[in-house]
């Protein structure tokens, strides 16, 4: 229930959505068995016995807790391709009995999750003219799990594309309701809605009614579209990271229901089977063990098949430990800002001019409009406190008509409420979200509290207050910075692994949109556009997935871990000046796609390394069965992972408990040479450590005489006791050769009590 569209754009509907989803997930449990209510569950199994098909095996297992007829009715889906599992309706007692069944590895309730560029690629240093390996890029297929896609968009026309690559096993995609079918750019489009509950606000087809999936797809792999803009704003050529790549869309998120575990897993299975190269998933995660988190489980199976999963970190920042999708085999992406803002000026009747943020595409017709505060426009005394926030039904239309209204931010969409009462526009005061440009459906802007206070006192200092909001203009800001909403570390799942992994642009990103929805989706909005701005870690994620596809187009044989390592160790360093939460805000730093193409060295791993890691983390072998797909995992018979974190991770994190003695940990690492000669290539370790932290590396020099050669080294991190200190210390280890520098942030933080 905690999964959200990780786009702030959708915060507009968050409150409404929450109500709907809570309702939906309650009512999703349909028929009652006796007095017991049945809910959707996912049941994981090992391989079927010899001579029995997986589907028969699933039915057989389900029939052990209910009658055959009931089993047929309640079976929802069989996962048979990359793992063995089924989804079914179960009562609590049936679920409990199944979890004790000898063939069953795990039983989990199905959760419902909410969904949480023109310029961004140039800003990241991936210009239109960047070197491309177009021949292999055309063979790259990127898979997105999202809200669907808009085949009509010029970002996805297939001019110049040949037939799908030979490795594609996704078949041809058929026409569906309101969906014209695939082409040679969108080579796959499937939808998953296993709960069977009709969604009146969506269409049962891969078409994108929401806009989110169209937006993320075009950021990842959209064609170059010159002169894209939002009614003239953010004008430029829109393009994805890999405009030559093919797209496969797996629609798992529905406008009023969000995205369910059962559908996510089915989509992962299909994407792995179809032959996608990279999976991008801009959906909010849960704070749960990896072995009960459908997204982490799906991503693990993808990793096993050589497919990197890139996911959004979440929009619950700046709260500490809010980062999600934090399994070590996922590449977890935070959102940063680029150097462009969208500002509207507000002028008051006394001549004072203030600046507010947001996209307001309206030219004022008058010099000045009467101004009232929501508080003063309340229907009655009882409604004054809700009217302060301009809540629906709290204000008197007679007091609002023809006026600008000043409100505090409690919910998005106040512009719609004010307009519906005949108001002219809205000035919203907020302390949060001032770094993103909300799109408005009527004249509006968002100001900070000090401006808000000035406006409020102006309103009460004159008999006929007035104001005007001007059309939005583009402005410049210092960048990069980390978005206020971007979820922060420390990692709530594994204290020894740094999360988020990296930051990429996720503020005011221009990308393709659907004509099936207005820009805001609010009542009374009539604005539609083929491109729009959205903000969120949802928007940051496809930037990194695109960079991963770009790297893969040069190195088709690299493992998921190697691609991830290349992206992390070449990131552009950010510093505490950018954000005080340091690595907990931006991980290894800002994505740098061109450098990621040629990292020099990589920290490589296979899926067994993650199992060793999980054993080291204290996961029971029996729970790991769900990931590995067999009952026989026994941690005490598995060679343990080495060192403090037991994983060859490209970043380093140590947690210090509050104590008197210094804390010391040894990290064991191994790098693989992926650079070209001339040989021998020698890398020297360069270390930086702040006061209170000491880093030593052994050996300090690594010499390579051929490609794919491996070298091991040890990093010892020592931290002085940090009394009364909360926060993090940031150091680094950089391996430098004449042609490359391979950087790992080294983070020490104190356990929060
Ligand atoms: C979808 O297609 C149906 C049938 O052609 C049509 O009536 C409906 O208006 C379409 N919906 C949208 C949102 O375009
Ligand atoms: C509030 O916004 C105004 C206008 O943009 C700006 O000058 C001022 O510095 C801001 N105040 C704070 C506390 O951020
Ligand atoms: C990738 O692997 C395939 C099959 O193992 C091999 O034929 C091919 O040469 C490899 N490509 C590169 C660039 O290493
Ligand atoms: C795991 O292996 C150890 C050592 O071989 C053995 O003692 C233990 O019983 C096994 N545990 C399980 C649950 O099979
Ligand atoms: C690495 O260290 C060796 C020995 O100290 C030195 O000769 C060499 O120039 C260094 N290389 C680089 C790239 O700094």
């Amino acid at each position: 229930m905690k999964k959200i569209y990780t786009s702030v754009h959708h915060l507009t509907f968050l409150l409404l959505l929450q109500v709907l989803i809570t309702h939906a997930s309650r009512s999703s449990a349909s028929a009652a068995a006796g007095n017991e209510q049945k809910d959707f569950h996912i049941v994981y199994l090992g391989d079927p016995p010899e001579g029995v098909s997986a589907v028969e095996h699933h039915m057989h297992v389900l029939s052990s807790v209910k009658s055959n007829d009931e089993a047929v009715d309640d079976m929802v889906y069989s996962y048979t391709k990359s793992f063995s599992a089924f989804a079914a309706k179960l009562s609590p007692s049936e679920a409990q009995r199944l979890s004790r069944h000898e063939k069953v590895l795990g039983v989990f309730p199905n959760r419902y999750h909410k969904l949480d560029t023109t310029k961004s690629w140039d800003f990241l240093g991936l210009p239109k003219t960047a070197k491309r390996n177009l021949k292999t890029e055309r063979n790259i297929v990127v898979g997105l799990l999202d809200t669907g896609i808009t085949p009509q968009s010029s970002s996805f026309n297939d001019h110049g594309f040949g037939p799908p690559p030979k490795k594609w096993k996704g078949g041809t995609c058929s026409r569906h309701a309101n969906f014209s079918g695939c082409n040679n750019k969108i080579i796959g489009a499937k939808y998953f809605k296993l709960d069977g509950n009709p969604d009146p606000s969506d269409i049962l087809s891969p078409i994108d009614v929401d806009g989110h999936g169209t937006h993320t797809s075009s950021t990842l792999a959209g064609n170059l579209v010159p002169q894209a803009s939002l009614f003239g704003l953010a004008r430029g050529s829109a393009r994805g990271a890999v405009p030559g790549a093919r797209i496969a869309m797996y629609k798992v998120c529905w406008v009023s229901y969000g995205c369910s575990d059962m559908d996510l897993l089915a989509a992962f299975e299909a994407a792995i089977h179809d032959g996608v190269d990279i999976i991008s998933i801009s959906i909010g995660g849960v704070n749960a063990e990896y072995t009960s988190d459908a997204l982490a489980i799906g991503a693990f199976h993808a990793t096993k098949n050589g497919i990197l999963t890139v996911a959004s970190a979440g929009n619950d920042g700046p709260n500490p430990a809010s980062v999600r999708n934090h399994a070590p085999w996922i590449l977890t992406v935070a959102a940063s800002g680029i150097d462009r803002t969208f500002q509207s000026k507000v002028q008051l009747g006394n001549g004072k001019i203030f600046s507010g943020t947001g996209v307001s595409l309206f030219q004022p017709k008058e010099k000045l409009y009467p101004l009232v505060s929501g508080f003063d426009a309340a229907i009655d005394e009882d409604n004054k406190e809700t009217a302060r926030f301009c809540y629906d039904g709290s204000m008197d239309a007679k007091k609002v008509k023809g006026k600008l209204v000043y409100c505090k931010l409690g919910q998005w969409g106040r512009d719609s409420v004010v307009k519906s009462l005949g108001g002219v526009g809205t000035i919203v005061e907020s302390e949060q979200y001032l770094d993103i440009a909300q799109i408005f459906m009527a004249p509006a802007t968002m100001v900070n509290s000090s401006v808000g206070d000035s406006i409020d006192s102006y309103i009460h200092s004159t008999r006929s207050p007035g104001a005007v909001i001007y059309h939005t203009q583009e402005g410049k800001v210092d960048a990069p910075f980390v978005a206020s909403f971007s979820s922060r570390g420390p990692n709530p799942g594994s204290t020894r692994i740094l999360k988020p992994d990296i930051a990429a642009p996720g503020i005011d990103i221009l990308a393709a949109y659907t004509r099936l929805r207005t820009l805001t989706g609010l009542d009374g909005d009539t604005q539609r556009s083929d491109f729009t701005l959205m903000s969120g870690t949802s928007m940051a994620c496809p930037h990194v997935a695109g960079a991963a596809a770009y790297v893969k187009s040069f190195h088709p044989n690299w493992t998921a871990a190697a691609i991830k390592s290349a992206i992390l160790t070449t990131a552009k360093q950010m510093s505490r000046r950018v954000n005080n939460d340091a690595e907990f805000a931006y991980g290894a730093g800002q994505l740098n796609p061109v450098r990621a193409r040629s990292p020099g060295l990589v920290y490589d791993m296979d899926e067994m390394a993650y199992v060793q890691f999980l054993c080291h983390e204290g996961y029971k072998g029996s729970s790991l069965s769900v990931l590995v797909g067999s009952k026989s995992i026994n941690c005490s018979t598995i060679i343990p992972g080495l060192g403090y974190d037991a994983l060859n991770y490209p970043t380093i994190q140590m947690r210090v408990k509050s104590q008197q003695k210094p804390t010391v940990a040894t990290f064991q690492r191994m790098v693989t040479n992926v650079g070209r000669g001339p040989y021998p290539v020698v890398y020297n370790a360069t270390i930086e450590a702040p006061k209170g932290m000491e880093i030593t590396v052994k050996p300090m020099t690594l010499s390579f005489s051929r490609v794919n050669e491996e070298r091991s080294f040890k990093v010892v991190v020592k931290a002085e006791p940090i009394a009364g200190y909360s926060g993090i210390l940031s150091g680094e280890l950089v391996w430098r050769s004449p042609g490359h520098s391979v950087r790992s942030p080294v983070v020490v933080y104190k356990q929060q009590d």
Side-chain angles (χ1 to χ4, degrees):
M1 249 299 294
K2 285 197 198 103
K3 203 156 278 189
I4 61 166
Y5 281 114
T6 40
S7 123
V8 176
H9 162 86
H10 288 83
L11 289 179
T12 319
F13 303 99
L14 213 61
L15 289 157
L16 177 64
L17 205 62
Q18 238 153 9
V19 174
L20 280 170
I21 289 167
T22 313
H23 176 72
S25 55
R26 290 215 186 98
S27 63
S28 66
S30 36
N35 291 329
E36 275 195 313
Q37 176 160 285
K38 286 192 279 185
D39 284 297
F40 292 111
H41 285 75
I42 300 164
V43 181
Y44 294 86
L45 301 107
D47 290 333
E50 210 148 318
V52 180
S53 81
V55 174
E56 283 166 355
H57 180 49
H58 295 168
M59 194 54 87
H60 181 75
V61 170
L62 183 56
S63 305
S64 71
V65 296
K66 45 177 95 207
S67 75
N68 284 341
D69 283 354
E70 237 193 310
V72 169
D73 281 351
D74 290 346
M75 175 67 81
V76 175
Y77 195 77
S78 274
Y79 306 86
T80 60
K81 293 190 187 103
S82 42
F83 48 94
S84 181
F86 63 84
K89 282 185 207 156
L90 301 174
S91 69
S93 67
E94 288 167 348
Q96 212 168 46
R97 274 185 288 148
L98 265 185
S99 67
R100 290 194 297 264
H101 189 289
E102 57 156 348
K103 299 278 189 231
V104 170
L105 305 179
V107 180
F108 300 102
N110 176 52
R111 273 185 287 239
Y112 284 78
H113 307 254
K114 288 172 277 151
L115 278 182
D116 268 328
T117 16
T118 36
K119 174 152 199 225
S120 49
W121 288 118
D122 287 318
F123 184 75
L124 288 175
L126 182 68
K128 258 188 267 187
T129 52
K131 183 175 157 195
R132 295 198 170 274
N133 199 352
L134 203 56
K135 205 165 141 248
T136 31
E137 190 172 309
R138 289 262 195 252
N139 286 329
I140 297 275
V141 184
V142 297
L144 294 102
L145 276 55
D146 214 304
T147 62
I149 195 162
T150 305
Q152 297 82 357
S153 165
S154 44
S155 293
F156 310 126
N157 84 43
D158 65 352
H159 187 75
F161 283 83
K166 285 200 199 71
K167 65 172 185 192
W168 179 246
K169 294 206 195 70
T172 53
C173 80
S174 34
R175 287 162 164 269
H176 294 279
N178 308 76
F179 187 77
S180 53
C182 290
N183 59 21
N184 285 328
K185 174 77 187 176
I186 304 173
I187 61 170
K190 297 184 167 137
Y191 67 88
F192 301 87
K193 185 88 175 70
L194 293 175
D195 68 7
N197 291 328
D199 188 330
S201 313
D202 212 318
I203 298 173
L204 203 61
S205 110
I207 197 74
D208 183 11
V209 178
D210 180 275
H212 187 272
T214 301
H215 201 275
T216 52
S217 303
S218 65
T219 299
L220 208 177
N223 299 323
L224 191 142
V225 181
Q227 292 290 311
S229 78
L230 173 61
F231 298 125
L233 284 182
R235 187 183 295 283
S237 42
R239 66 193 157 97
V242 277
R246 323 297 182 113
I247 294 170
M249 169 56 67
Y250 301 87
K251 177 167 170 179
V252 294
C253 298
W254 300 86
V255 168
S256 28
Y257 286 92
C259 339
S260 96
D261 281 345
M262 298 190 291
D263 296 333
L264 272 171
L265 271 182
F268 263 111
E269 186 186 55
I272 294 166
H273 167 265
D274 292 349
V276 305
D277 292 286
I278 302 287
I279 291 175
S280 180
I281 176 156
S282 288
I283 296 176
V286 292
N287 190 12
E289 301 222 311
Y290 306 131
T291 47
S292 69
D293 172 1
L295 204 153
I297 292 168
F300 188 85
H301 290 288
T303 308
K304 262 165 94 173
N305 288 275
I307 305 163
L308 176 63
T309 299
V310 182
S312 46
N315 295 337
D316 296 315
N319 301 324
S322 51
V323 61
R324 297 293 180 261
N325 296 332
H326 46 62
W329 49 89
I330 294 175
L331 206 176
T332 314
V333 186
S336 59
I338 59 172
D339 58 353
R340 178 179 63 196
T341 60
F342 298 92
Q343 304 279 334
S344 308
K345 287 202 173 76
V346 180
Q347 185 163 10
L348 303 183
N350 61 10
K352 280 215 174 111
I353 295 178
F354 296 107
S355 179
T357 54
V359 174
S360 179
L361 301 161
F362 310 92
Q363 296 289 0
K365 295 194 187 71
E366 317 272 335
K367 278 220 167 91
L368 217 56
Y369 297 92
L371 174 65
V372 65
S373 82
F375 186 82
D376 296 332
I379 297 179
D380 53 29
E381 282 300 314
D382 290 347
N383 274 288
K384 276 194 173 319
E385 279 314 313
T386 42
R388 189 192 290 286
F389 298 95
C390 299
Y391 283 142
D392 229 348
S394 66
M395 293 180 296
D396 184 345
K398 287 197 295 292
K399 296 178 188 161
V400 167
K401 194 164 190 299
K403 293 181 184 161
L404 289 178
V405 184
Y406 163 72
C407 325
K408 285 189 188 288
L409 180 68
Q411 263 179 358
W412 299 102
R414 296 314 88 192
D415 40 331
S416 172
V417 173
V418 167
K419 189 174 179 189
S420 72
L421 295 174
V424 170
T426 317
I427 301 171
V428 184
E429 184 214 306
S430 172
E431 284 168 39
Q432 265 186 304
Y433 304 114
L434 288 158
D435 50 1
I436 59 170
Q438 191 68 21
I439 298 177
F440 296 109
M441 51 85 65
T445 194
M446 202 157 91
V447 298
N448 63 27
S449 304
S450 59
V451 170
D453 289 346
S454 307
I455 292 175
D456 201 32
S457 48
Y458 161 71
I459 289 174
H460 298 105
S461 70
T462 170
R463 275 187 36 211
S464 47
V468 62
I469 301 170
Y470 293 105
H471 190 285
T472 293
Q473 311 258 314
E474 283 176 46
K476 278 215 148 223
V477 281
D478 287 339
F481 55 93
V482 177
S484 57
F485 59 77
S486 185
S487 286
R488 306 291 206 264
N491 184 340
S494 313
T495 58
R496 295 156 195 238
I497 301 291
L498 174 65
K499 291 281 172 174
D501 287 305
I502 199 163
I507 294 185
D508 304 341
I509 302 300
L510 186 82
Y513 193 59
T514 172
R515 288 227 164 234
L516 293 179
R517 187 171 183 266
T518 60
L519 288 183
T520 64
L522 294 169
D523 282 349
D525 192 5
T526 56
Q527 310 173 98
R528 288 179 202 269
S529 170
D530 292 327
F531 288 86
T532 194
L533 297 168
M534 288 194 196
S535 299
T537 52
S538 274
M539 282 63 243
C541 169
H543 279 90
V544 176
Y550 179 67
V551 171
K552 187 149 191 186
S553 74
F554 288 89
H555 310 288
N557 288 5
W558 280 11
T559 62
I563 294 173
K564 175 170 166 180
S565 171
I567 288 174
L568 264 57
T569 60
T570 56
K572 192 164 173 222
Q573 191 177 348
M574 292 171 112
S575 75
R576 226 164 263 267
R577 276 194 310 266
V578 167
N579 195 287
N580 215 26
D581 296 327
E583 280 80 6
F584 288 164
Y586 48 68
Q590 176 92 329
L591 174 69
N592 190 346
V594 168
R595 276 199 59 209
R597 200 174 68 205
S598 165
L601 305 174
V602 294
Y603 294 82
D604 203 1
M605 279 180 279
D606 59 15
E607 80 264 14
M608 205 51 209
Y610 298 115
V611 173
Q612 292 170 312
F613 163 81
L614 291 170
C615 286
H616 185 261
E617 289 272 287
Y619 276 75
K620 293 262 166 28
S622 53
S623 69
L624 296 181
S625 303
V626 166
L627 295 178
V628 181
S630 79
K631 195 114 199 177
S632 60
I633 283 278
N634 179 346
C635 279
S636 51
T637 62
I638 285 177
I639 303 163
L642 297 172
Y644 172 79
D645 55 1
L647 199 64
N648 195 32
Y649 212 71
T651 59
I652 288 176
Q653 171 164 303
M654 179 174 86
R655 189 179 72 168
V656 174
K657 297 194 176 133
S658 24
Q659 56 184 28
Q660 309 308 314
K661 299 196 304 279
T663 309
V664 182
T666 302
F667 295 80
Q668 190 73 50
R669 290 292 186 271
M670 186 171 77
V671 282
T672 309
N673 175 42
V674 294
R676 292 209 200 99
Y679 294 113
V681 178
V682 177
Y683 281 85
N684 292 346
T686 323
I687 292 160
E688 261 183 51
K691 193 165 172 284
M693 188 203 279
E694 213 176 275
I695 305 172
T696 49
V697 177
K698 250 192 208 154
M700 286 286 281
T701 298
L702 302 175
S703 175
F704 297 90
S705 52
R706 59 179 176 81
V707 76
N708 288 336
E709 197 169 10
E710 294 169 341
R711 290 279 180 254
S712 297
F713 61 93
K714 272 192 188 119
V715 183
V716 179
V717 180
K718 182 175 165 195
E720 297 303 327
I722 325 177
Y725 166 84
S726 70
I728 74 176
L729 294 176
S730 311
E732 65 173 24
L733 159 63
V734 186
W735 288 105
R736 284 184 213 282
S737 74
H740 298 283
S741 63
V742 187
R743 179 177 180 274
S744 297
V746 178
V747 166
V748 168
Y749 78 104
K750 192 176 143 189
Q751 178 175 16
Q752 302 290 309
D753 304 310

